[in-house]
Amino acid sequence: MNRDFIVTKEHRRFAEFATAVRKEVTIGICHGDAGVGKTLSARRYAHWDTLEPFIDEWGPRSDDDLKHDADANRSRTAFYTPEVLPKPRDLMREIEFYRAKVGICVYEHLCATGKVTDRYVPRTIQYTELLIIDEAERLTRTALELLRDLHDREHLAIILIGMPGIDQRFRHYPQLYSRLGFAHRYRALGREELLFVLTRHWKRLGHELDSDDFTDAQAIAAIERITRGNFRLLERLFPQISRVLKINQLETITDDVIEAAASILVIGN
């Protein structure tokens, strides 16, 4: 799990949305502009930053696996990003792989905690209750039909994450669209959340943010104008701010520092 992750109101709203989709065993859509934090929130919800490498490096079981098993049990979620124009057979095989491995982790946790004592080993893949698919625009009509069928046959909750307008695209697939239970719009950071995030970043740079201070207020206004609350751009901006401060041996984060950092960021794009 990424310790530097900043829990915002939008992330909490996403977590509530994902839990509702999982509980109701339905299909949900999450849409929002690029960089607002959809993928970060989904990976955080699924504990995927730690589970994915653990699953990909699958090996002999050990006591060190208990933490990963507990994480899998908390979310019971598999996260998947398809390739561009994925082949349906490859898509379903990879999804089944991650569902199966998460299910095994959940089963191991239940055995370790004494919640499962029977000798009978169940179909562990069913312990994975939610599948989150990022970049859902990449899915072909055939892939969407296969996912709809998977939802029907396996009673698997599914969340499709994409850009604004993806919900309108799914209107062209009546069988899938009729099964949609929830839609969630992931918004950019608002003013209060932006100040909260900036306070954290200021501390990481060894400073205290004071919105009543004129210099800090100017810096905040510059960041707000440049990023427009875009979480990804904000995260990319601060390493450049740190670089500008270090190169120029400055101690204060000013609007000029912000502008210089933003210009480096644009050049590096």
Side-chain angles (χ1 to χ4, degrees):
M1 187 64 63
N2 183 2
R3 294 181 180 179
D4 292 333
F5 185 89
I6 300 175
V7 178
T8 63
K9 182 170 63 176
E10 280 303 312
H11 171 71
R12 292 191 182 279
R13 290 179 64 240
F14 176 87
E16 292 172 358
F17 156 74
T19 299
V21 172
R22 176 179 148 199
K23 181 179 178 181
E24 298 298 325
V25 194
T26 186
I27 297 177
I29 292 178
C30 174
H31 57 93
D33 294 329
V36 292
K38 305 184 299 295
T39 300
L40 287 175
S41 282
R43 292 180 66 89
R44 172 82 172 191
Y45 182 85
H47 300 272
W48 211 242
D49 286 344
T50 53
L51 278 179
E52 183 180 27
F54 173 69
I55 289 173
D56 288 339
E57 298 171 5
W58 198 260
R61 305 287 85 188
S62 70
D63 291 340
D64 294 336
D65 301 340
L66 295 177
K67 180 181 182 302
H68 299 297
D69 296 339
D71 286 343
N73 181 66
R74 276 192 288 272
S75 68
R76 301 203 174 193
T77 299
F79 178 91
Y80 180 72
T81 304
E83 297 179 354
V84 178
L85 297 177
K87 295 180 180 179
R89 182 178 297 179
D90 294 340
L91 173 79
M92 300 310 292
R93 182 176 64 248
E94 291 173 2
I95 286 175
E96 184 175 13
F97 169 80
Y98 285 113
R99 286 181 62 215
K101 291 299 187 286
V102 170
I104 291 172
C105 291
V106 174
Y107 176 71
E108 292 289 343
H109 173 79
L110 295 177
C111 290
T113 55
K115 295 180 181 179
V116 171
T117 57
D118 296 338
R119 293 184 177 180
Y120 168 72
V121 178
R123 188 167 177 261
T124 54
I125 197 172
Q126 293 181 343
Y127 283 123
T128 303
E129 300 173 352
L130 174 63
L131 170 65
I132 299 178
I133 298 183
D134 198 14
E135 305 285 357
E137 294 91 351
R138 298 177 177 180
L139 299 174
T140 63
R141 186 185 189 96
T142 300
L144 289 171
E145 176 58 23
L146 286 170
L147 289 172
R148 194 272 308 169
D149 182 65
L150 178 64
H151 165 73
D152 288 350
R153 286 187 296 102
E154 302 279 347
H155 301 289
L156 175 69
I158 298 174
I159 291 176
L160 302 170
I161 297 178
M163 296 288 287
I166 192 173
D167 52 333
Q168 298 303 314
R169 176 194 168 191
F170 289 151
R171 287 180 180 272
H172 299 293
Y173 310 108
Q175 287 187 309
L176 175 68
Y177 194 76
S178 65
R179 288 163 174 77
L180 296 181
F182 297 93
H184 173 70
R185 179 187 173 190
Y186 205 111
R187 298 178 176 86
L189 296 172
R191 172 74 178 183
E192 291 184 3
E193 282 191 300
L194 180 63
L195 289 175
F196 172 74
V197 173
L198 291 182
T199 299
R200 294 282 296 273
H201 280 294
W202 245 254
K203 286 183 179 179
R204 290 173 185 171
L205 293 176
H207 299 272
E208 291 292 332
L209 179 66
D210 182 3
S211 58
D212 292 329
D213 180 273
F214 181 72
T215 300
D216 284 356
Q218 280 189 313
I220 292 169
I223 292 175
E224 191 171 19
R225 173 176 51 80
I226 292 168
T227 67
R228 297 181 182 178
N230 187 289
F231 196 85
R232 182 187 300 161
L233 187 55
L234 191 65
E235 293 294 300
R236 293 177 59 202
L237 180 63
F238 267 86
Q240 302 302 336
I241 292 174
S242 178
R243 182 173 176 226
V244 170
L245 290 172
K246 184 176 181 180
I247 290 174
N248 295 279
Q249 298 181 341
L250 299 173
E251 295 294 333
T252 306
I253 303 174
T254 66
D255 57 338
D256 288 335
V257 170
I258 304 300
E259 295 290 351
S263 67
I264 296 172
L265 186 64
V266 172
I267 292 172
N269 265 346

